[in-house]
Amino acid sequence: MNSFDSEQQHIFVETNNIRLHCVSQGEGELVLLLHGFPEFWYSWRHQIPALARHFKVVVPDLRGYNDSDKPTSGYDLDTLSADIRGLIDRLGYTKAHIVGHDCGGAIAWHLAQKFPEKLNRLAILNAPHPQRFVQEMASNLDQIRRSWYVLAFQVPGIPEWLIRQNLKDFVKNVFQGQAVRKGAFSAEETKIYQTALEKPGVLAAAMNYYQQMFHPQRLWHWGQKLEPVTVPTLVLWGEEDAFLSHKLVEGLDRLITAPFKLKLVPNCGHWIQQEAPQTVNRELLSFLRNSSPSLALA
């Protein structure tokens, strides 16, 4: 256990007709950290104490994960974004800095497009813009090869059953096996993820995220014109991401009309905030604490 554990609070917040479990630490402007698949708040363990020296950091278990509610529906980006929008309000804030990784990054992109008034700043870690991702999946064979699991997850019931039968191996492979910096995941840490995924309803919810993203109704929507992001944005990207192609960070100037910065992190895979925590912490603090977007992102 780390010394900062005693300063963390575990709270439950009602938002958008569900209850989210959150870890909270610090005071000041609100920073929300949104995890990805197949994680929970714990994936931000290296960032929470560093950011909490300057901000109020709140890290939810997203809908369906770990100790948050696990309804059978509501895994589309509109509903997931409404969860987070409501969380900001219920915490007593009008806006927040939003930091998202993987699926949490997809929610963060969507929030910035739909509710820009709720965001101070946006930070994205190895998370493609959802529309860009779907477009690449439709046209880029390299991305299809990397993201074959996304297509496999479209089959109801089977992927969840297969993962559950081999959960220990699945967790070890998805984290340590796909990390470039293997030391980021000890046996103890992979066991913590395994325990969270064993909770009833979690795997079904996790599959639902991907099934909703590629739902036929939404595929038409993804083909529409991209709405630009109008808040200052930082994009951090582990260069050797086994799941996501480099092409996904091309053309950010067409997605973001506000000042933005893209930083590629070498010798780092998909799990960037766990593989390169010091780099991520330094970049996030520099970005979130600088009041001048033009200076921060020059």
Side-chain angles (χ1 to χ4, degrees):
M1 296 288 278
N2 296 314
S3 58
F4 69 82
D5 286 350
S6 59
E7 300 166 37
Q8 291 179 357
Q9 291 181 300
H10 289 258
I11 59 175
F12 287 88
V13 182
E14 302 275 347
T15 168
N16 199 23
N17 300 312
I18 63 164
R19 193 174 76 142
L20 296 182
H21 167 256
C22 305
V23 169
S24 173
Q25 187 178 351
E27 296 296 333
E29 291 181 351
L30 179 61
V31 176
L32 295 182
L33 306 178
L34 309 181
H35 68 80
F37 168 84
E39 302 168 286
F40 64 113
W41 72 263
Y42 182 73
S43 64
W44 298 104
R45 62 196 176 280
H46 303 299
Q47 284 67 51
I48 297 169
L51 294 174
R53 296 189 189 104
H54 307 279
F55 300 99
K56 180 177 182 67
V57 182
V58 175
V59 192
D61 290 330
L62 296 176
R63 172 186 290 247
Y65 279 98
N66 193 41
D67 292 328
S68 288
D69 283 354
K70 302 162 185 67
T72 55
S73 62
Y75 296 95
D76 58 283
L77 283 175
D78 285 338
T79 306
L80 294 163
S81 297
D83 291 350
I84 304 306
R85 183 188 182 197
L87 179 60
I88 296 169
D89 293 338
R90 293 305 297 266
L91 291 168
Y93 287 79
T94 56
K95 52 174 55 182
H97 301 292
I98 303 289
V99 183
H101 171 252
D102 188 78
C103 291
I107 298 169
W109 279 118
H110 199 68
L111 266 169
Q113 286 182 286
K114 298 295 183 184
F115 308 115
E117 73 282 359
K118 303 303 290 184
L119 274 73
N120 278 319
R121 292 183 170 222
L122 171 69
I124 298 290
L125 282 63
N126 282 72
H129 187 285
Q131 280 167 276
R132 281 279 288 129
F133 181 59
V134 171
Q135 288 164 2
E136 284 296 307
M137 284 291 286
S139 61
N140 181 344
L141 282 173
D142 175 54
Q143 188 54 58
I144 293 169
R145 178 183 60 78
R146 290 167 183 264
S147 297
W148 62 269
Y149 62 93
V150 173
L151 300 176
F153 290 171
Q154 302 308 306
V155 185
I158 308 261
E160 175 196 343
W161 181 83
L162 285 171
I163 291 170
R164 182 170 286 114
Q165 303 312 304
N166 306 279
L167 191 57
K168 183 178 180 181
D169 290 341
F170 169 78
V171 170
K172 184 176 181 183
N173 180 58
V174 80
F175 287 112
Q176 195 176 51
Q178 302 302 326
V180 173
R181 306 184 189 187
K182 307 293 187 189
F185 297 102
S186 66
E188 180 187 5
E189 284 160 342
T190 50
K191 177 63 177 169
I192 288 169
Y193 281 115
Q194 181 182 335
T195 300
L197 289 168
E198 283 170 348
K199 294 179 180 178
V202 171
L203 284 173
M207 300 297 109
N208 223 323
Y209 276 73
Y210 290 101
Q211 288 159 10
Q212 286 298 316
M213 185 177 287
F214 286 86
H215 192 280
Q217 273 182 306
R218 291 192 222 306
L219 289 179
W220 178 85
H221 172 73
W222 295 136
Q224 304 304 296
K225 185 175 181 291
L226 291 168
E227 299 171 51
V229 170
T230 57
V231 297
T233 302
L234 170 67
V235 178
L236 301 177
W237 200 274
E239 279 193 301
E240 296 177 50
D241 190 321
F243 304 112
L244 299 169
S245 159
H246 262 183
K247 284 181 68 70
L248 291 163
V249 289
E250 292 175 3
L252 286 177
D253 54 330
R254 295 195 298 273
L255 288 175
I256 307 165
T257 56
F260 73 90
K261 174 182 176 181
L262 167 64
K263 181 179 177 64
L264 300 175
V265 180
N267 187 34
C268 180
H270 181 67
W271 313 108
I272 180 170
Q273 75 267 39
Q274 298 173 83
E275 293 187 54
Q278 290 174 315
T279 300
V280 168
N281 291 356
R282 184 174 64 246
E283 291 291 333
L284 285 177
L285 283 167
S286 172
F287 172 62
L288 297 177
R289 295 186 71 203
N290 194 319
S291 58
S292 167
S294 58
L295 288 175
L297 304 172

